[in-house]
Amino acid sequence: MWEKLAQLEEEHRELEALLSDPEVLKDPKRYQALSRRYAEMGELVEAGRAYRKALEELASARELLSDPELKEVAKAEVEALEARIQELEEKLQVLLLPKDPVDERDAIVEIRAGTGGEEAALFAGDLLKMYLKFAEKMGFSTEILDSHPSDLGGFSKVVFEVQGPGAYGVFKYESGVHRVQRVPATETQGRIHTSTATVAVLPKAMEEDLRLNMDEIRIDVMRASGPGGQGVNTTDSAVRVVHLPTGIIVTCQDSRSQIKNKEKALTILRSRLLEMKRAEEQEKLRQHRLAQIGTGERSEKIRTYNFPQSRVTDHRIGFTTHDLEGVLEGELFPLYEALKRADQERQLAELVNDAA
């Protein structure tokens, strides 16, 4: 670990020097990438320095144990430092875990109404509002890429982009089937219904990640559909992109510009194809991929929102909160932290097993 920490501290110093280099300042893209890496390393380097300092202080404190007058004071200091060192070692183990490079990317989030008819569409709308508020609280910006509203104000499908460093790393844990238990607005007898919505989260693909062969793509234009809104059913602005080899279909109709809808559709297609490629590679490397936290498996029922009990339960980690209202208002940070911690513990356990 010492060797790794020394290498990272050296890299941190080199980045600090580069960020003040006039040539780097002239290249905004490179400056942004270096700044992001420098910020990422900050906590790790700080923890490494604190660990080194604590070890030096422990060595000094142990020397004082032989002094009769200072023995009791030194003993207490040794115990405190040993506890501090253990805490720092655990923190460093987590910080040194290999990071998925796509965690730093923007995210594309797709919400689809599942079982439950119109109530499922309303629930999909509730999830959209929840995620937009959560993204805002986390300092991310959002943009709706495509939406298919339902008659009562929900969505049969809605796709949006979350923009900002680390967006995918935060939202990736939301992939899966979300279940709601409540009395629907459409229910006249006051009975509790169970409905679902499916969430898929993709890292936004860059052009250099995956070159699209336009000969394998069919692009159709049509009139936008949906309830109300200027431009709906009046212009051929909606775009449907079909990837012929895989059969993937992407539609975009939110912009009144056909060109913008086409760009958005191709962005979503590229991200879906990249995720397919990543999934295939991960499957080859790890046959137990389905046991991982937040793998994005659409069949995995990950969370239940129970209105009668004001309860939200994440089934993957057994996490429960009774602040349903807060969660729906975007207070997802406790859930995110619990899922992230569980994922880190899984990775640490895997490293121990691999080393055994």
Side-chain angles (χ1 to χ4, degrees):
M1 186 168 69
W2 275 117
E3 185 179 346
K4 180 67 174 175
L5 288 172
Q7 291 173 354
L8 290 169
E9 194 160 351
E10 178 62 27
E11 182 185 350
H12 195 255
R13 282 194 294 267
E14 291 173 358
L15 286 171
E16 195 169 31
L18 283 170
L19 288 171
S20 59
D21 187 331
E23 291 302 314
V24 173
L25 293 170
K26 293 177 184 177
D27 186 346
K29 192 172 181 180
R30 186 185 179 202
Y31 181 80
Q32 186 179 29
L34 292 174
S35 296
R36 187 178 300 144
R37 175 61 178 161
Y38 182 77
E40 282 175 15
M41 297 179 66
E43 185 180 7
L44 178 55
V45 170
E46 185 180 340
R49 289 169 178 168
Y51 180 58
R52 185 184 297 111
K53 182 181 179 183
L55 286 174
E56 292 170 353
E57 290 175 350
L58 177 63
S60 299
R62 280 175 172 164
E63 288 179 3
L64 295 176
L65 288 173
S66 58
D67 188 325
E69 295 182 4
L70 298 174
K71 183 177 181 179
E72 291 305 314
V73 175
K75 185 179 178 182
E77 188 173 353
V78 165
E79 290 176 357
L81 285 166
E82 285 176 341
R84 170 67 172 155
I85 287 168
Q86 183 177 349
E87 179 185 312
L88 286 168
E89 284 177 345
E90 291 173 357
K91 183 177 182 179
L92 283 167
Q93 282 182 330
V94 170
L95 290 172
L96 285 168
L97 285 172
K99 290 182 172 58
D100 189 335
V102 300
D103 278 357
E104 285 302 304
R105 295 198 177 182
D106 296 345
I108 292 177
V109 183
E110 177 186 279
I111 307 171
R112 287 179 179 266
T115 56
E118 189 62 45
E119 163 63 3
L122 290 171
F123 179 46
D126 291 338
L127 291 177
L128 172 65
K129 293 173 188 174
M130 177 183 77
Y131 288 139
L132 294 181
K133 289 175 181 177
F134 177 51
E136 184 179 3
K137 292 176 189 292
M138 294 294 288
F140 300 131
S141 57
T142 55
E143 179 186 1
I144 301 294
L145 300 179
D146 184 39
S147 65
H148 297 259
S150 65
D151 293 333
L152 295 184
F155 293 92
S156 60
K157 186 183 81 168
V158 60
V159 184
F160 65 98
E161 183 177 342
V162 186
Q163 301 161 341
Y168 176 71
V170 171
F171 274 81
K172 67 181 180 180
Y173 298 112
E174 295 303 308
S175 286
V177 176
H178 295 244
R179 181 174 66 173
V180 63
Q181 296 172 328
R182 65 184 176 187
V183 178
T186 54
E187 170 61 50
T188 58
Q189 303 297 320
R191 293 172 298 185
I192 295 172
H193 288 225
T194 297
S195 303
T196 62
T198 300
V199 177
V201 184
L202 311 173
K204 183 178 179 182
M206 304 292 106
E207 286 190 24
E208 56 267 25
D209 294 326
L210 197 147
R211 299 285 179 184
L212 293 176
N213 182 351
M214 299 308 292
D215 292 335
E216 298 178 340
I217 294 172
R218 190 182 78 235
I219 298 176
D220 304 323
V221 295
M222 66 205 82
R223 296 201 171 181
S225 61
Q230 291 185 343
V232 173
N233 295 321
T234 61
T235 59
D236 291 331
S237 59
V239 173
R240 178 173 58 221
V241 172
V242 182
H243 187 247
L244 300 175
T246 61
I248 293 174
I249 300 173
V250 179
T251 60
C252 276
Q253 63 175 22
D254 265 43
S255 173
R256 296 182 66 182
S257 165
Q258 185 185 116
I259 294 174
K260 287 184 179 178
N261 281 330
K262 176 184 173 183
E263 290 174 352
K264 290 177 180 180
L266 290 174
T267 295
I268 296 171
L269 174 62
R270 184 180 287 109
S271 296
R272 286 187 184 172
L273 290 172
L274 178 63
E275 183 63 10
M276 284 178 62
K277 181 181 176 184
R278 277 166 42 83
E280 289 171 3
E281 291 171 351
Q282 288 174 6
E283 187 65 34
K284 290 176 184 176
L285 292 171
R286 296 185 180 276
Q287 292 300 316
H288 59 280
R289 179 174 178 265
L290 293 179
Q292 296 180 8
I293 294 290
T295 56
E297 296 300 325
R298 293 191 175 210
S299 61
E300 181 185 11
K301 187 187 300 175
I302 65 165
R303 194 174 298 152
T304 295
Y305 304 74
N306 183 292
F307 276 67
Q309 298 177 22
S310 187
R311 170 173 53 82
V312 179
T313 299
D314 195 289
H315 304 292
R316 294 166 292 181
I317 57 174
F319 181 95
T320 295
T321 174
H322 287 276
D323 184 21
L324 172 64
E325 184 178 348
V327 169
L328 292 176
E329 287 298 312
E331 296 293 341
L332 283 170
F333 193 74
L335 269 165
Y336 161 65
E337 280 293 301
L339 287 162
K340 180 181 177 183
R341 186 164 54 251
D343 198 14
Q344 290 170 340
E345 289 171 359
R346 175 193 59 77
Q347 291 181 64
L348 286 171
E350 284 184 358
L351 287 175
V352 171
N353 290 334
D354 290 343

